[in-house]
Amino acid sequence: MKKGEIILGIDPGTQLMGFALLRINNGQPQVILMDVLKLTKEKDIYARLDLIHSKVCELIQLYQPSTFAIEAPFFGKNVQSMLKLGRAQGVAIAAAMQAKMTVTEYSPKKVKQSITGNGNADKDQVWRMLQRVLSIEEKPQYFDATDALAVALCHHYQSSSVLGKVAKGPKGWDEFIAKNPGRVKK
């Protein structure tokens, strides 16, 4: 990551959408903002989707993040809820793509693993680790906000670590050999 880079993290939802902005200075993450967009007052799902799109566009315009990270919906038993969540995620992603941002999606398990070392950690464990790592005092009212912050921090870890770069390594032996001709033994 470049100096002063800003990551926009989103925890999509149709009732509450968590969002967070994280600035990376000299490899050190600093919280800019962590909050939720409350959508419960609006009954119409399409109006909610419009609010999500508008909020993401507003955050992008105000803070000029360089990357966008979003939590992937997890598979649940209620298909209708899953469809609504997928739409909310899609609208947020569309706003980022419209702004020509790089979009990265992380599974909830990957986010938890990245923050706590345990892919099955609960929301409170994730929050306590965020408090320690980012020196945050006050507990937000909603875990959706902390989930969004966790997504942003996960993205920072994945893009700045050796492990994150390994995943972006060569796509096959031909590419590896082309990039490493001195390692080929004849």
Side-chain angles (χ1 to χ4, degrees):
M1 297 222 153
K2 296 174 190 139
K3 185 180 179 204
E5 190 161 4
I6 296 174
I7 303 166
L8 172 56
I10 298 287
D11 177 35
T14 56
Q15 306 222 347
L16 291 171
M17 178 189 79
F19 58 90
L21 288 139
L22 197 61
R23 181 185 317 275
I24 311 301
N25 274 324
N26 298 320
Q28 296 302 312
Q30 302 164 328
V31 179
I32 299 172
L33 175 69
M34 171 177 61
D35 205 351
V36 294
L37 172 62
K38 296 177 186 171
L39 300 159
T40 52
K41 289 181 183 176
E42 185 58 61
K43 299 294 178 211
D44 181 49
I45 185 64
Y46 299 108
R48 288 181 185 193
L49 295 175
D50 183 50
L51 289 170
I52 292 167
H53 187 270
S54 296
K55 185 62 176 183
V56 173
C57 287
E58 175 189 332
L59 292 168
I60 291 168
Q61 186 175 12
L62 285 173
Y63 296 95
Q64 300 291 303
S66 44
T67 56
F68 178 91
I70 190 163
E71 189 171 81
F74 60 92
F75 181 73
K77 292 182 180 177
N78 186 330
V79 176
Q80 287 303 315
S81 294
M82 190 68 185
L83 286 170
K84 287 177 186 174
L85 187 57
R87 288 175 180 164
Q89 183 196 33
V91 166
I93 290 171
M97 291 176 69
Q98 185 178 357
K100 307 289 187 235
M101 294 181 68
T102 302
V103 174
T104 308
E105 186 177 17
Y106 296 99
S107 72
K109 197 171 197 88
K110 179 71 168 181
V111 172
K112 293 172 187 177
Q113 175 74 36
S114 187
I115 303 304
T116 68
N118 175 4
N120 295 316
D122 64 27
K123 290 179 180 289
D124 195 56
Q125 289 172 308
V126 172
W127 164 240
R128 286 193 313 251
M129 188 59 79
L130 289 171
Q131 276 185 299
R132 273 186 232 135
V133 171
L134 299 169
S135 303
I136 304 169
E137 297 290 323
E138 74 286 347
K139 185 175 182 178
Q141 190 174 358
Y142 301 100
F143 276 127
D144 304 80
T146 60
D147 287 352
L149 184 59
V151 170
L153 187 58
C154 171
H155 183 71
H156 166 60
Y157 288 160
Q158 295 304 309
S159 16
S160 63
S161 76
V162 174
L163 292 175
K165 288 178 177 52
V166 168
K168 296 174 187 154
K171 296 195 176 25
W173 282 112
D174 291 337
E175 187 177 334
F176 177 82
I177 292 168
K179 288 183 178 182
N180 302 280
R183 294 184 69 182
V184 177
K185 294 183 181 181
K186 296 180 182 182

